[in-house]
């Protein structure tokens, strides 16, 4: 196994893309300030988080009861991580002083020995590390470490890194094999990824080894969690976990033996991501094989067309192959972020472009959909079909919200989206010793440093319009650098020119490879086929039999009530319809084409007025339909939405 | 308002019907003995009920902890009621001695003052009547009273009636307006129906008045339940009821003001049934108007084609208009029994035949479907679509069982089915002063006593075959008796002969009326149109848009995997297909025709092997389909089942 691909330094990437540029602006200018207000409980009508307050209480600076969910601290850490990326990527550094202040607060809330967790410090100090299943201490530490690493990269400051290391050192000491150590592992995976990042930034091997320990110990028998629950006599925080099922936390068998994606989707994604990292670091082929099998199980059996996972709102988890209902699913935003992380790492381990088809799908659909275009409303659950009147507290759709929410009692998603978007450059580019990888077609400029060469690059993408990308390279290279441009799975034929001359595509592992040496300015133009297309699902997906969904490039399209009337279940579309793309000046859709076509609406004239059942006397009425990108749904008030349309056979 | 219709004495009715006769035999010979064993915890592998044991403990005859759900006593009462009907209808009296013995046990478990409830007597005597929301004391008393009335009718014995009256007297004393009385009402309605029955058998007015009190007090503000929950500080038995929603127990507004069916479906049905009884007894037009509105809301907006209700497995409740998902619904057997009770009473109040269209639908589909043809396996939840591999503990379908179960922790349904089937005669016939009503077409003989006349009647029905019924009347009548035969809603044209001569149909309120005087033997033959027919749903039912279901008479048909292969979601049917009815010698289907026709199965050849998404390249393959009555599904092992088939437009 070769060494992993490296990401680029975020400060060397400038995102200029009209679509993602505006989302990044939203993150820096709206989400980060808004979420800071949220953490400080200054937003009217939003559920109080008590987040900063909890740290003050833990620091002994104010008195009061520590409130909020047990893992509330992680929201602050994720916010710092996102704000750090904004500094690092150059989009906004207004919060640097605020961050330094809050880091100081975190430091004051940290205990002498490095322990830090506002819940256990304030509310139940004697119960530290006794409830790994539910307590989320290691989960919170993971997010602290990730934030610290990000802030160090962004600013060079070690203030948070020192706090995080002190905490990590304690964890490495407390957990592990051997006497007087806790032979357990986290109920919610996250610490593993973080410790690997910490190892990479510090070079300190024990962080990596502890990450490995957590993955290798998991799922061993007798099971740590079962013993812990028995000892405690039940659940403290999450009674819904009663009858604890080890699959829920992927601790039913050893991770390296796992072949199907099981349990809570976010936990699963974070674990699989760590598994890839470990496979790379320890050159562990067996572990990589497990990761590949898990990836296949997800993408070939258990993933929505929108790149989301977790078919069941019941415990937010994976269910079974081909179980992909459109209106009762969970499809948590964080799980799609986790899928991006997993895919990025698989690509880094294998250099196979294919993984990015899924990363891109998750990004353009579920992740973008999770925030409003105003940046202050969020989806936690991402359904593919919504009839608002059926989403009541009394139905199975009660977790499905027909409009984005201000905030959530459990608010993992919004700050997770912020940190993902603000570090997006690390998903676009990657590099090897002598090779640059372009994985996403998001307009940007980049400076890429190789051993002896610096390459300047400008990527101009019209992916969501005509599918053309233009790459301008400036490099005077003694090294033979190759530029690998991902060939997206949705593109049919692709065409390329180099400095105006048509070139044959030299394909390798899903990439079109353009070899150097590069001397001065060069231009590569690539045309992908991104005509709108109809997609269908494997016929085993019973929810989607005889249905079709419209896509363009990585974007899934949907129909909204606003444009197409209500009762969207009565809409039929034909794969033979002429699809008309329109770019409008509209604020909402300006950067994405909308797609219009003729379809039919089924009327049933056999039902007598006001009756429920009657003769089927179907009549089809031609209707002009307008599909919009799924990522933009729900920005124009409450209404129905549907991705999968019935196919007129 | 005229006085209500009367039911007939069960001992005067003999059911000779090949379909229902065998179900009745099943009840008497299999279900009653099986359920007795269940109540005594003698069935291997079935969840122990502790039912008889609890009474022994309450009677102080054995020591131990009282176990099982808080309303476990009601299972015994419902069993007695069913067994009493078996005695009354003449099908089996083997259990009479056993019943007398168990009545004696119940008597010994009754407290001095008439109170009887094994949970509160044994486990929490000081908490009597303090938890009306969850405690089910009045619910259990209701079933005790219903059993007592049934046993009295069946045997003339007053042993259980005395126990029940003593208990009812206590309830009448304890509950009501005024000082030193509990101004509350039951969390689960049932006592109201029972007290009305007790009034009818004893003539004791205060039972009726207390029933009325319970209905009239319900929903008043300040709300009794809210106060009770506050006082107690939460839930004792059912934490899932947290954030108590008054609609759940139909106590959000006064019943007489209710216009939409809300909350827990069984509670609702029992309450509506009592409301009709009270409307009749008190000649309360306003109450009857409420009942009519509720009936309309159910049957025109919230009822499945199978005559089941309760769209949501979440708290087993009604949701909202047109929310009728086929695979996540609850559709509890008991709720359909309640719908039969409600419809029977609406018919008794209005003499309108229309209500029986729904009663018949609930009976032939959901109620019959709930028991296996062997009589010892039961459905509690009655889905209209099942894919067994999606019914896991990790999905929203976890309440949906793909095969009938031996017994349930909460086992209200099986004994409820027994008591309904064993009292079926009371649904077939009803009488007025000078009129006989035939509401269901179930072969039977009956002796009907009018003031001065006794009429002997034989009803021979081939409803589920060619739709013919033959009525043989023997009567020498000084009174002018009219025979009203219900014209079923599904029949198109009907034809009738009287003593071989074609007669015009004299229609009144949905009945074909055949007037006397009757002199000696007469024969009426009626032909209904029961050709198989396709039915569709109102297009607002988004789950069923573009789908069709096959019916014959009152019977809904379904497709099973056993006959039609798996992945039934891929089946398309056409309303123009030729439907072929076949009567087989098969033990399972011998009494119902199966229906065969050509349909298509959609194949998607655009998906590459093992992939989840791909091009839609649909191909239709002609397939011969075999539909069986919904009430017989799941009798041949685990497999898929579907009622609503996609329509080939």
């Amino acid at each position: 196994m070769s060494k992993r691909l490296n990401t680029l330094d975020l400060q060397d990437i400038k995102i200029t893309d009209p679509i993602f540029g505006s989302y990044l602006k939203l993150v820096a200018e709206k989400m980060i300030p808004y979420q800071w207000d949220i953490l400080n409980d200054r937003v009217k009508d939003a559920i109080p988080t008590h987040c900063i307050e909890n740290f003050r209480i833990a620091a002994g600076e104010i008195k009061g009861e520590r409130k909020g969910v047990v893992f509330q601290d992680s929201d602050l850490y994720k916010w710092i991580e996102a704000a750090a990326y904004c500094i690092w990527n150059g989009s906004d550094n207004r919060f640097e002083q605020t961050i330094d202040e809050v880091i100081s607060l975190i430091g004051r809330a940290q205990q002498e020995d490095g322990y830090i967790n506002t819940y256990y410090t304030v509310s139940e100090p004697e119960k530290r590390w006794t409830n790994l299943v539910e307590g989320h201490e290691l989960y919170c530490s993971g997010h602290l470490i990730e934030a610290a690493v990000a802030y160090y990269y962004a600013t060079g400051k070690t203030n948070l890194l020192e706090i995080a290391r002190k905490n990590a050192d304690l964890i490495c000491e407390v957990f592990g094999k051997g006497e007087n150590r806790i032979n357990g592992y986290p109920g919610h995976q996250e610490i593993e990824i973080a410790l690997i990042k910490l190892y990479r930034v510090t070079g300190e091997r024990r962080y990596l080894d502890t990450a490995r320990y957590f993955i290798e110990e998991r799922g061993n028998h007798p099971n740590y969690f079962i013993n812990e629950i028995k000892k405690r006599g039940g659940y403290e925080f999450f009674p819904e976990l009663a009858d604890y099922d080890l699959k829920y936390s992927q601790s039913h068998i050893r991770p390296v033996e796992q072949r199907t994606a099981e349990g809570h989707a976010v936990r699963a994604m974070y674990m699989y991501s760590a598994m890839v990292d470990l496979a790379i670091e320890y050159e562990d082929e067996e572990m990589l094989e497990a990761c590949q099998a898990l990836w296949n199980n997800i993408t070939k059996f258990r993933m929505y067309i929108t790149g989301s996972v977790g078919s069941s709102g019941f415990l937010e988890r994976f269910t079974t192959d081909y179980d992909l209902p459109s209106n009762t699913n969970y499809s948590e935003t964080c799980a799609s972020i986790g899928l991006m992380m997993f895919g990025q790492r698989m690509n880094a381990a294998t250099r196979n472009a294919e993984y990015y088809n899924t990363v891109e799908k998750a990004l353009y659909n579920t992740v973008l959909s999770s925030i409003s275009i105003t940046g202050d409303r969020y989806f936690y659950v991402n359904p593919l079909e919504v009839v608002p009147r059926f989403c009541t507290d009394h139905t199975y759709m009660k977790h499905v919200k027909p409009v984005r929410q201000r905030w959530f009692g459990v608010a993992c998603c919004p700050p997770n989206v912020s940190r993902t978007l603000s570090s997006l450059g690390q998903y676009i580019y990657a590099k090897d010793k002598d090779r640059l990888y372009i994985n996403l077609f998001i307009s940007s400029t980049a400076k890429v440093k190789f051993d002896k060469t610096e390459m300047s690059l400008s990527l101009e993408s019209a992916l969501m319009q005509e599918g053309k990308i233009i790459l301008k390279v400036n490099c005077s290279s003694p090294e033979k650098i190759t530029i690998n441009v991902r060939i997206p799975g949705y593109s049919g034929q692709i065409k390329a020119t180099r400095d105006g001359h048509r070139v044959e595509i030299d394909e390798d592992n899903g990439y079109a490879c353009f070899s150097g040496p590069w001397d001065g300015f060069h231009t590569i133009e690539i045309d992908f086929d991104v005509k709108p297309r109809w997609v269908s699902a494997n016929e085993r997906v019973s929810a989607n039999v005889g249905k079709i969904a419209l896509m363009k490039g990585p974007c899934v399209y949907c129909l909204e009530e606003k444009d197409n009337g209500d009762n969207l279940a009565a809409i039929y579309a034909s794969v033979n319809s002429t699809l008309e793309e329109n770019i409008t000046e509209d604020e909402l859709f300006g950067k994405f084409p909308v797609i219009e076509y003729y379809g039919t609406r089924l009327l049933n004239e056999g039902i007598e007025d006001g009756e429920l059942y009657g003769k089927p006397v179907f009549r089809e009425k031609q209707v002009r339909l307008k599909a919009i990108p799924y990522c933009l749904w729900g920005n124009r008030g409450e209404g129905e939405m549907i991705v999968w349309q019935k196919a007129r056979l």
Side-chain angles (χ1 to χ4, degrees), chain A residues 26 49 75 88 128 131 187 254 301 334 352 368 372 377 419 494 522 535 563 578 593 631 637:
Chain A
L26 216 55
T49 64
D75 286 357
W88 193 9
R128 192 200 270 197
N131 188 348
R254 294 173 60 226
F301 296 95
C334 286
N352 190 323
L368 287 194
S372 66
R377 295 288 186 283
R419 70 177 185 138
I494 75 164
H522 296 275
V535 177
D563 305 307
T578 305
C631 60

PDB file of all heavy atoms in Angstrom, chain A residues 26 49 75 88 128 131 187 254 301 334 352 368 372 377 419 494 522 535 563 578 593 631 637:
ATOM      1  N   LEU A  26     -21.732  32.336   3.105  1.00  0.00           N
ATOM      2  CA  LEU A  26     -22.812  32.101   4.062  1.00  0.00           C
ATOM      3  C   LEU A  26     -22.242  31.549   5.373  1.00  0.00           C
ATOM      4  O   LEU A  26     -22.638  31.976   6.461  1.00  0.00           O
ATOM      5  CB  LEU A  26     -23.760  31.072   3.437  1.00  0.00           C
ATOM      6  CG  LEU A  26     -25.241  31.181   3.674  1.00  0.00           C
ATOM      7  CD1 LEU A  26     -25.766  32.535   3.279  1.00  0.00           C
ATOM      8  CD2 LEU A  26     -25.971  30.107   2.833  1.00  0.00           C
ATOM      9  N   THR A  49     -28.999  26.388  24.162  1.00  0.00           N
ATOM     10  CA  THR A  49     -27.988  25.323  24.130  1.00  0.00           C
ATOM     11  C   THR A  49     -27.242  25.234  25.462  1.00  0.00           C
ATOM     12  O   THR A  49     -26.699  24.186  25.785  1.00  0.00           O
ATOM     13  CB  THR A  49     -26.939  25.602  23.031  1.00  0.00           C
ATOM     14  OG1 THR A  49     -26.231  26.805  23.371  1.00  0.00           O
ATOM     15  CG2 THR A  49     -27.596  25.766  21.672  1.00  0.00           C
ATOM     16  N   ASP A  75     -20.651  20.929  20.356  1.00  0.00           N
ATOM     17  CA  ASP A  75     -21.117  21.995  19.463  1.00  0.00           C
ATOM     18  C   ASP A  75     -20.125  23.159  19.433  1.00  0.00           C
ATOM     19  O   ASP A  75     -19.875  23.742  18.379  1.00  0.00           O
ATOM     20  CB  ASP A  75     -22.487  22.529  19.907  1.00  0.00           C
ATOM     21  CG  ASP A  75     -23.616  21.553  19.587  1.00  0.00           C
ATOM     22  OD1 ASP A  75     -23.333  20.502  18.984  1.00  0.00           O
ATOM     23  OD2 ASP A  75     -24.765  21.849  19.943  1.00  0.00           O
ATOM     24  N   TRP A  88      -8.349  29.918   8.187  1.00  0.00           N
ATOM     25  CA  TRP A  88      -7.332  29.231   7.388  1.00  0.00           C
ATOM     26  C   TRP A  88      -7.549  29.461   5.890  1.00  0.00           C
ATOM     27  O   TRP A  88      -6.610  29.736   5.144  1.00  0.00           O
ATOM     28  CB  TRP A  88      -7.381  27.735   7.736  1.00  0.00           C
ATOM     29  CG  TRP A  88      -6.221  26.911   7.247  1.00  0.00           C
ATOM     30  CD1 TRP A  88      -5.059  27.366   6.693  1.00  0.00           C
ATOM     31  CD2 TRP A  88      -6.117  25.495   7.300  1.00  0.00           C
ATOM     32  NE1 TRP A  88      -4.242  26.322   6.397  1.00  0.00           N
ATOM     33  CE2 TRP A  88      -4.854  25.147   6.759  1.00  0.00           C
ATOM     34  CE3 TRP A  88      -6.942  24.468   7.763  1.00  0.00           C
ATOM     35  CZ2 TRP A  88      -4.432  23.829   6.656  1.00  0.00           C
ATOM     36  CZ3 TRP A  88      -6.509  23.161   7.663  1.00  0.00           C
ATOM     37  CH2 TRP A  88      -5.271  22.836   7.120  1.00  0.00           C
ATOM     38  N   ARG A 128     -17.128   9.897  36.006  1.00  0.00           N
ATOM     39  CA  ARG A 128     -16.231  10.015  34.852  1.00  0.00           C
ATOM     40  C   ARG A 128     -15.884   8.649  34.253  1.00  0.00           C
ATOM     41  O   ARG A 128     -15.528   7.733  34.988  1.00  0.00           O
ATOM     42  CB  ARG A 128     -14.954  10.692  35.355  1.00  0.00           C
ATOM     43  CG  ARG A 128     -14.028  11.158  34.293  1.00  0.00           C
ATOM     44  CD  ARG A 128     -12.637  11.344  34.875  1.00  0.00           C
ATOM     45  NE  ARG A 128     -12.402  12.689  35.395  1.00  0.00           N
ATOM     46  CZ  ARG A 128     -11.166  13.155  35.630  1.00  0.00           C
ATOM     47  NH1 ARG A 128     -10.100  12.399  35.392  1.00  0.00           N
ATOM     48  NH2 ARG A 128     -11.006  14.359  36.115  1.00  0.00           N
ATOM     49  N   ASN A 131     -19.747   5.629  31.886  1.00  0.00           N
ATOM     50  CA  ASN A 131     -20.845   5.378  30.951  1.00  0.00           C
ATOM     51  C   ASN A 131     -20.372   5.674  29.535  1.00  0.00           C
ATOM     52  O   ASN A 131     -20.767   6.660  28.919  1.00  0.00           O
ATOM     53  CB  ASN A 131     -22.052   6.235  31.327  1.00  0.00           C
ATOM     54  CG  ASN A 131     -23.294   5.879  30.517  1.00  0.00           C
ATOM     55  OD1 ASN A 131     -23.198   5.154  29.528  1.00  0.00           O
ATOM     56  ND2 ASN A 131     -24.429   6.386  30.928  1.00  0.00           N
ATOM     57  N   GLY A 187     -18.786   4.969  22.987  1.00  0.00           N
ATOM     58  CA  GLY A 187     -20.134   4.641  22.510  1.00  0.00           C
ATOM     59  C   GLY A 187     -20.417   5.303  21.177  1.00  0.00           C
ATOM     60  O   GLY A 187     -21.128   4.762  20.341  1.00  0.00           O
ATOM     61  N   ARG A 254     -15.703  -7.427  15.621  1.00  0.00           N
ATOM     62  CA  ARG A 254     -14.547  -6.547  15.440  1.00  0.00           C
ATOM     63  C   ARG A 254     -14.705  -5.781  14.120  1.00  0.00           C
ATOM     64  O   ARG A 254     -15.098  -6.352  13.105  1.00  0.00           O
ATOM     65  CB  ARG A 254     -13.255  -7.375  15.424  1.00  0.00           C
ATOM     66  CG  ARG A 254     -12.968  -8.054  16.780  1.00  0.00           C
ATOM     67  CD  ARG A 254     -11.781  -8.997  16.668  1.00  0.00           C
ATOM     68  NE  ARG A 254     -10.578  -8.280  16.265  1.00  0.00           N
ATOM     69  CZ  ARG A 254      -9.742  -8.694  15.312  1.00  0.00           C
ATOM     70  NH1 ARG A 254      -9.962  -9.826  14.664  1.00  0.00           N
ATOM     71  NH2 ARG A 254      -8.673  -7.986  15.000  1.00  0.00           N
ATOM     72  N   PHE A 301     -26.168  -0.949  -1.756  1.00  0.00           N
ATOM     73  CA  PHE A 301     -27.362  -1.540  -1.146  1.00  0.00           C
ATOM     74  C   PHE A 301     -28.129  -0.614  -0.194  1.00  0.00           C
ATOM     75  O   PHE A 301     -29.291  -0.835   0.057  1.00  0.00           O
ATOM     76  CB  PHE A 301     -26.981  -2.810  -0.359  1.00  0.00           C
ATOM     77  CG  PHE A 301     -26.427  -3.904  -1.209  1.00  0.00           C
ATOM     78  CD1 PHE A 301     -25.068  -4.055  -1.371  1.00  0.00           C
ATOM     79  CD2 PHE A 301     -27.292  -4.770  -1.867  1.00  0.00           C
ATOM     80  CE1 PHE A 301     -24.553  -5.072  -2.171  1.00  0.00           C
ATOM     81  CE2 PHE A 301     -26.790  -5.789  -2.657  1.00  0.00           C
ATOM     82  CZ  PHE A 301     -25.417  -5.945  -2.818  1.00  0.00           C
ATOM     83  N   CYS A 334     -25.353  14.851   9.197  1.00  0.00           N
ATOM     84  CA  CYS A 334     -24.045  14.416   9.702  1.00  0.00           C
ATOM     85  C   CYS A 334     -23.595  13.093   9.093  1.00  0.00           C
ATOM     86  O   CYS A 334     -22.395  12.861   8.935  1.00  0.00           O
ATOM     87  CB  CYS A 334     -24.083  14.245  11.220  1.00  0.00           C
ATOM     88  SG  CYS A 334     -24.105  15.801  12.106  1.00  0.00           S
ATOM     89  N   ASN A 352      -8.309   5.879  -6.253  1.00  0.00           N
ATOM     90  CA  ASN A 352      -9.362   5.574  -7.218  1.00  0.00           C
ATOM     91  C   ASN A 352     -10.396   6.694  -7.177  1.00  0.00           C
ATOM     92  O   ASN A 352     -10.934   7.040  -6.115  1.00  0.00           O
ATOM     93  CB  ASN A 352     -10.010   4.233  -6.854  1.00  0.00           C
ATOM     94  CG  ASN A 352     -10.941   3.749  -7.940  1.00  0.00           C
ATOM     95  OD1 ASN A 352     -11.634   4.545  -8.580  1.00  0.00           O
ATOM     96  ND2 ASN A 352     -10.955   2.455  -8.183  1.00  0.00           N
ATOM     97  N   LEU A 368     -25.635  20.213   1.061  1.00  0.00           N
ATOM     98  CA  LEU A 368     -26.118  21.555   0.698  1.00  0.00           C
ATOM     99  C   LEU A 368     -27.582  21.751   1.086  1.00  0.00           C
ATOM    100  O   LEU A 368     -27.983  22.820   1.531  1.00  0.00           O
ATOM    101  CB  LEU A 368     -25.957  21.814  -0.801  1.00  0.00           C
ATOM    102  CG  LEU A 368     -24.542  22.064  -1.322  1.00  0.00           C
ATOM    103  CD1 LEU A 368     -24.607  22.641  -2.724  1.00  0.00           C
ATOM    104  CD2 LEU A 368     -23.761  23.003  -0.404  1.00  0.00           C
ATOM    105  N   SER A 372     -30.472  26.474   4.680  1.00  0.00           N
ATOM    106  CA  SER A 372     -31.296  27.364   3.868  1.00  0.00           C
ATOM    107  C   SER A 372     -30.390  28.326   3.116  1.00  0.00           C
ATOM    108  O   SER A 372     -29.235  28.524   3.500  1.00  0.00           O
ATOM    109  CB  SER A 372     -32.245  28.157   4.760  1.00  0.00           C
ATOM    110  OG  SER A 372     -31.488  29.021   5.584  1.00  0.00           O
ATOM    111  N   ARG A 377     -31.273  28.458   8.804  1.00  0.00           N
ATOM    112  CA  ARG A 377     -32.261  27.407   9.045  1.00  0.00           C
ATOM    113  C   ARG A 377     -31.656  26.094   8.539  1.00  0.00           C
ATOM    114  O   ARG A 377     -30.968  26.089   7.516  1.00  0.00           O
ATOM    115  CB  ARG A 377     -33.564  27.673   8.275  1.00  0.00           C
ATOM    116  CG  ARG A 377     -34.326  28.916   8.707  1.00  0.00           C
ATOM    117  CD  ARG A 377     -34.990  28.727  10.060  1.00  0.00           C
ATOM    118  NE  ARG A 377     -35.840  29.851  10.412  1.00  0.00           N
ATOM    119  CZ  ARG A 377     -35.392  31.022  10.861  1.00  0.00           C
ATOM    120  NH1 ARG A 377     -34.099  31.242  10.987  1.00  0.00           N
ATOM    121  NH2 ARG A 377     -36.253  31.981  11.172  1.00  0.00           N
ATOM    122  N   ARG A 419     -18.246  23.252   9.320  1.00  0.00           N
ATOM    123  CA  ARG A 419     -16.835  22.848   9.261  1.00  0.00           C
ATOM    124  C   ARG A 419     -16.527  22.122   7.960  1.00  0.00           C
ATOM    125  O   ARG A 419     -15.415  22.189   7.444  1.00  0.00           O
ATOM    126  CB  ARG A 419     -16.430  22.028  10.501  1.00  0.00           C
ATOM    127  CG  ARG A 419     -17.015  20.643  10.584  1.00  0.00           C
ATOM    128  CD  ARG A 419     -16.493  19.873  11.801  1.00  0.00           C
ATOM    129  NE  ARG A 419     -16.995  18.508  11.777  1.00  0.00           N
ATOM    130  CZ  ARG A 419     -16.281  17.432  12.064  1.00  0.00           C
ATOM    131  NH1 ARG A 419     -15.020  17.546  12.410  1.00  0.00           N
ATOM    132  NH2 ARG A 419     -16.831  16.229  12.020  1.00  0.00           N
ATOM    133  N   ILE A 494     -16.221  12.062 -22.633  1.00  0.00           N
ATOM    134  CA  ILE A 494     -15.608  13.336 -22.270  1.00  0.00           C
ATOM    135  C   ILE A 494     -14.599  13.717 -23.349  1.00  0.00           C
ATOM    136  O   ILE A 494     -14.036  12.859 -24.036  1.00  0.00           O
ATOM    137  CB  ILE A 494     -14.964  13.324 -20.865  1.00  0.00           C
ATOM    138  CG1 ILE A 494     -13.634  12.563 -20.854  1.00  0.00           C
ATOM    139  CG2 ILE A 494     -15.900  12.735 -19.814  1.00  0.00           C
ATOM    140  CD1 ILE A 494     -12.822  12.888 -19.604  1.00  0.00           C
ATOM    141  N   HIS A 522      -0.268  26.858 -19.237  1.00  0.00           N
ATOM    142  CA  HIS A 522      -0.950  25.849 -20.052  1.00  0.00           C
ATOM    143  C   HIS A 522      -2.434  25.848 -19.727  1.00  0.00           C
ATOM    144  O   HIS A 522      -2.830  26.201 -18.615  1.00  0.00           O
ATOM    145  CB  HIS A 522      -0.381  24.456 -19.769  1.00  0.00           C
ATOM    146  CG  HIS A 522       1.051  24.337 -20.150  1.00  0.00           C
ATOM    147  ND1 HIS A 522       1.470  24.039 -21.429  1.00  0.00           N
ATOM    148  CD2 HIS A 522       2.175  24.516 -19.409  1.00  0.00           C
ATOM    149  CE1 HIS A 522       2.781  24.029 -21.462  1.00  0.00           C
ATOM    150  NE2 HIS A 522       3.244  24.318 -20.240  1.00  0.00           N
ATOM    151  N   VAL A 535     -32.792   8.792 -13.828  1.00  0.00           N
ATOM    152  CA  VAL A 535     -32.122   7.703 -13.110  1.00  0.00           C
ATOM    153  C   VAL A 535     -33.193   6.824 -12.474  1.00  0.00           C
ATOM    154  O   VAL A 535     -34.259   7.316 -12.080  1.00  0.00           O
ATOM    155  CB  VAL A 535     -31.176   8.274 -12.021  1.00  0.00           C
ATOM    156  CG1 VAL A 535     -30.535   7.157 -11.212  1.00  0.00           C
ATOM    157  CG2 VAL A 535     -30.116   9.151 -12.670  1.00  0.00           C
ATOM    158  N   ASP A 563     -44.130  24.990  -7.453  1.00  0.00           N
ATOM    159  CA  ASP A 563     -44.082  25.061  -8.913  1.00  0.00           C
ATOM    160  C   ASP A 563     -45.059  24.124  -9.595  1.00  0.00           C
ATOM    161  O   ASP A 563     -45.423  24.334 -10.748  1.00  0.00           O
ATOM    162  CB  ASP A 563     -42.675  24.688  -9.413  1.00  0.00           C
ATOM    163  CG  ASP A 563     -41.591  25.535  -8.776  1.00  0.00           C
ATOM    164  OD1 ASP A 563     -41.714  26.779  -8.836  1.00  0.00           O
ATOM    165  OD2 ASP A 563     -40.639  24.972  -8.208  1.00  0.00           O
ATOM    166  N   THR A 578     -38.952  15.791 -23.383  1.00  0.00           N
ATOM    167  CA  THR A 578     -37.869  16.715 -23.708  1.00  0.00           C
ATOM    168  C   THR A 578     -37.579  17.565 -22.479  1.00  0.00           C
ATOM    169  O   THR A 578     -38.480  18.182 -21.916  1.00  0.00           O
ATOM    170  CB  THR A 578     -38.308  17.631 -24.873  1.00  0.00           C
ATOM    171  OG1 THR A 578     -38.704  16.791 -25.958  1.00  0.00           O
ATOM    172  CG2 THR A 578     -37.178  18.551 -25.295  1.00  0.00           C
ATOM    173  N   PRO A 593     -29.345  25.518 -13.178  1.00  0.00           N
ATOM    174  CA  PRO A 593     -30.487  25.560 -14.093  1.00  0.00           C
ATOM    175  C   PRO A 593     -31.697  24.869 -13.450  1.00  0.00           C
ATOM    176  O   PRO A 593     -31.538  23.957 -12.641  1.00  0.00           O
ATOM    177  CB  PRO A 593     -29.998  24.784 -15.309  1.00  0.00           C
ATOM    178  CG  PRO A 593     -28.808  24.026 -14.874  1.00  0.00           C
ATOM    179  CD  PRO A 593     -28.267  24.648 -13.629  1.00  0.00           C
ATOM    180  N   CYS A 631     -31.006  20.324  -3.528  1.00  0.00           N
ATOM    181  CA  CYS A 631     -30.314  21.072  -2.476  1.00  0.00           C
ATOM    182  C   CYS A 631     -30.987  22.403  -2.175  1.00  0.00           C
ATOM    183  O   CYS A 631     -30.710  23.017  -1.148  1.00  0.00           O
ATOM    184  CB  CYS A 631     -28.840  21.289  -2.826  1.00  0.00           C
ATOM    185  SG  CYS A 631     -28.595  22.202  -4.351  1.00  0.00           S
ATOM    186  N   GLY A 637     -41.040  28.484   1.579  1.00  0.00           N
ATOM    187  CA  GLY A 637     -42.216  28.173   2.397  1.00  0.00           C
ATOM    188  C   GLY A 637     -42.498  26.688   2.428  1.00  0.00           C
ATOM    189  O   GLY A 637     -41.835  25.888   1.762  1.00  0.00           O
TER     190      GLY A 637
END
